[in-house]
Amino acid sequence: MGDITTLAVDAIVNAANEALLGGRGVDGAIHLAAGSGLLDECRGLGGCDTGEAKPTGGHDLLAQWVVHTVGPMWSGGGHGEAGLLASCYRRSLEVAVGLGARSVAFPAISTGAYGYPKAAAARIAVDTVRAFGHDHPSGIDEVVLVAFADDDLDRYQALLAETDASGPARWSSPGSCAIIATPVERLSAATAPRRPTGTTQGGNRWRSPSPSTERSVPLMSRPGRCSCTTYATSWR
Ligand code: AR6
């Protein structure tokens, strides 16, 4: 099980509700890890519309910022859910880039309490992130799609393998909280890591692997703190 609150990225995205005053699921986990200062700051935001995004500081989190977005509740698919979910990813990235974030991690927005079918949501996540990357080639270095469960990871891997022919990508190793900066030309779960291109990025806490171990040492790893599985895609 992955926990987005442990990631040392510049910004993590919260799957919140319109009140922006906390909740259950990943929202609850983020507020718990960030401390009460986050709720205090959220109180001043005046809520957030579905499909929109608003930023706060990260408070006690490793991430410098939290971008709060509100996913759609699934109502059968005929109520603009897909467009709203895509808007969550796009607007969150726009807000994060506006803050100066170079690395952003997302949970699978709307796929918990809001009931969005996971396969359809994963496709929207991957497609929207990739489209953003192509439209803003220097906008951001890394986007992490956090797989909370093994089947989430399988879905992201399958989708990225399917779409990766259009550009380079990075993948993270399943089974540990490790994001491997591994550009691969054609992504597949079986592809061996190659030489990383990313090192320290934007003043955040990404770590560069040592030259002698770059094929196996993750760019970011938090042994003992996290057992999450993550999946990353980028476009450099
Ligand atoms: N790290 C990463 N992913 C997580 C974590 C975590 N710590 N915890 C849960 N997930 P949900 P929603 C995954 O319900 O569907 C809240 O009460 C989880 O497995 O958190 O957008 C808000 O306040 C699922 O795949 O968000 C809203 O009222 C995904 O995060 C409402 O729930 C999203 O599940 C929002 O519902």
Side-chain angles (χ1 to χ4, degrees):
M1 300 274 271
D3 185 355
I4 199 170
T5 66
T6 64
L7 294 183
V9 290
D10 292 342
I12 63 170
V13 174
N14 182 17
N17 57 60
E18 289 193 344
L20 293 189
L21 297 176
R24 302 172 73 94
V26 71
D27 195 4
I30 288 172
H31 276 271
L32 188 65
S36 59
L38 178 61
L39 183 58
D40 292 342
E41 190 179 354
C42 284
R43 286 197 178 98
L45 294 179
C48 182
D49 292 336
T50 300
E52 266 300 327
K54 291 187 177 181
T56 63
H59 297 269
D60 295 344
L61 294 165
L62 292 171
Q64 191 173 351
W65 297 289
V66 180
V67 176
H68 306 263
T69 190
V70 184
M73 287 186 208
W74 180 253
S75 305
H79 297 81
E81 291 97 326
L84 288 166
L85 186 59
S87 177
C88 287
Y89 284 92
R90 190 169 48 248
R91 287 292 300 131
S92 295
L93 287 168
E94 288 170 356
V95 167
V97 167
L99 293 166
R102 305 295 308 178
S103 53
V104 181
F106 282 92
I109 300 163
S110 283
T111 64
Y114 282 1
Y116 208 108
K118 286 191 163 197
R123 180 170 289 281
I124 288 170
V126 169
D127 287 352
T128 308
V129 168
R130 289 181 67 88
F132 185 91
H134 286 296
D135 292 348
H136 305 80
S138 60
I140 201 162
D141 292 326
E142 196 107 40
V143 173
V144 182
L145 300 175
V146 176
F148 194 61
D150 287 347
D151 60 331
D152 294 331
L153 184 65
D154 292 344
R155 264 187 291 275
Y156 286 141
Q157 283 180 328
L159 285 167
L160 282 160
E162 183 185 292
T163 58
D164 192 62
S166 63
R170 296 176 184 182
W171 65 286
S172 68
S173 66
S176 66
C177 185
I179 298 167
I180 301 172
T182 309
V184 289
E185 284 166 19
R186 286 188 65 84
L187 189 69
S188 84
T191 303
R194 296 182 191 167
R195 181 183 180 82
T197 57
T199 54
T200 303
Q201 298 166 9
N204 63 19
R205 301 176 186 82
W206 295 108
R207 291 186 204 143
S208 173
S210 68
S212 61
T213 55
E214 64 187 16
R215 290 177 66 85
S216 58
V217 173
L219 183 63
M220 184 187 76
S221 144
R222 317 191 69 71
R225 278 210 62 183
C226 172
S227 60
C228 63
T229 55
T230 55
Y231 201 94
T233 177
S234 74
W235 37 85
R236 287 194 318 189

